[in-house]
Amino acid sequence: MVKAIAIDGPSASGKSTVSKGVAAELGFIYVDSGALYRGVTWQAIRKGVDAKDSAEVIDCMLNAEWDFFVQDGAAVFSIDGDVPVQELRGKDVRESVADVASIPEVRKFVVESLQSLENFGSLVMEGRDIGTVVFPDSPYKFYLDADPEERAMRRYRELVAAGEDEKAHEVMESLKKRDKIDSTRKTDPLVVAPGAQVIDSTSMTLEEVVQTVVDAVKG
Ligand code: ADP
Ligand code: CDP
């Protein structure tokens, strides 16, 4: 049985959309690992903790009650009884999540939580370190990429469609800043996992990317 298909890559490379498509096609459980880093960040913000204060963030994370379950084919979590969804996408979380995700204790907590999800069944898990750290033995590893300009435009269009008041150049700057933090941090930086298939989606449709992954898994 396949434990986990690992899909890594930078922001707005298509990981979430492609992973959901692959999970639906194969009947696997979809897992958004970034949501957990966002969850830790959101919990800190709502408790009034400064996201740059590592000790406080760790304390806040460990003192919260976390529960994991599967809903509509996806792994979901609650924090102190609340299930944040839209809250995780807000600007405040987006601006601080890469700093929070650079804290080694936060990464340890999230990685262990993610690994425990294999008890639910076969997973399609997307993130930054799934093929390198969370499931390094997976035979199915993919690294999605796309040009930064294309990724920033995708994210911008998505935010505008969601009714957010955003400026294209600010989205571009925020994405570049997060790319830099994610790829240069000391603990588990974003790199292509050994053995991963790199897919550049700059000029591919979503359907083409999903099919490329599904075909590789089905052999
Ligand atoms: P990530 O999870 O890597 O941040 P998403 O899956 O959220 O990326 O994709 C960001 C946006 O880009 C979404 O609105 C999605 O529909 C769009 N998108 C993703 N892949 C493609 C693609 N190959 N072609 C066009 N749009 C895409
Ligand atoms: O959707 P997007 O790619 O913009 O972000 P995300 O997948 O929700 O991840 C948000 C942030 O969490 C990233 O910028 C990383 O800092 C961190 N993250 C990580 O460090 N490792 C992962 N496996 C997933 C996310």
Side-chain angles (χ1 to χ4, degrees):
M1 195 180 83
V2 177
K3 267 205 301 194
I5 297 172
I7 302 193
D8 291 303
S11 192
S13 56
K15 301 181 301 295
S16 312
T17 325
V18 167
S19 300
K20 282 179 197 159
V22 171
E25 189 108 349
L26 298 174
F28 285 16
I29 296 161
Y30 163 69
V31 187
D32 174 4
S33 69
L36 266 167
Y37 291 98
R38 289 173 184 266
V40 175
T41 309
W42 176 71
Q43 177 72 356
I45 292 171
R46 77 166 169 163
K47 293 285 177 190
V49 166
D50 177 358
K52 288 200 184 295
D53 186 335
S54 302
E56 288 280 319
V57 171
I58 295 164
D59 209 43
C60 177
M61 173 185 80
L62 295 177
N63 279 316
E65 173 78 25
W66 295 78
D67 274 313
F68 295 86
F69 52 100
V70 175
Q71 198 173 55
D72 300 329
V76 182
F77 58 87
S78 63
I79 314 174
D80 288 341
D82 297 316
V83 180
V85 180
Q86 261 324 103
E87 295 85 340
L88 301 183
R89 301 279 137 198
K91 194 171 187 169
D92 48 355
V93 171
R94 191 164 74 239
E95 295 292 321
S96 297
V97 63
D99 285 322
V100 169
S102 299
I103 304 171
E105 289 84 349
V106 170
R107 302 205 67 80
K108 183 169 181 289
F109 170 81
V110 171
V111 167
E112 287 172 2
S113 302
L114 293 169
Q115 287 169 335
S116 75
L117 299 178
E118 68 176 278
N119 294 325
F120 289 134
S122 299
L123 312 171
V124 181
M125 189 176 287
E126 55 120 337
R128 303 288 193 289
D129 62 344
I130 311 307
T132 48
V133 177
V134 183
F135 291 111
D137 298 333
S138 170
Y140 306 111
K141 300 182 196 179
F142 301 87
Y143 186 95
L144 292 194
D145 209 350
D147 291 346
E149 290 74 19
E150 167 68 15
R151 291 192 285 114
M153 274 321 289
R154 287 179 187 173
R155 182 74 357 121
Y156 172 68
R157 283 195 293 264
E158 192 181 55
L159 290 166
V160 169
E164 300 262 347
D165 181 23
E166 294 284 346
K167 307 226 171 0
H169 73 274
E170 283 176 10
V171 174
M172 179 79 192
E173 276 157 31
S174 162
L175 182 132
K176 279 192 168 160
K177 195 169 142 208
R178 199 138 57 85
D179 276 2
K180 184 149 186 255
I181 299 175
D182 289 342
S183 56
T184 57
R185 68 172 172 237
K186 288 204 184 76
T187 312
D188 311 334
L190 171 66
V191 292
V192 179
Q197 179 177 338
V198 179
I199 304 173
D200 185 333
S201 74
T202 308
S203 38
M204 287 171 83
T205 65
L206 279 167
E207 292 71 25
E208 284 171 332
V209 184
V210 170
Q211 211 47 53
T212 304
V213 174
V214 168
D215 287 350
V217 173
K218 283 188 169 167

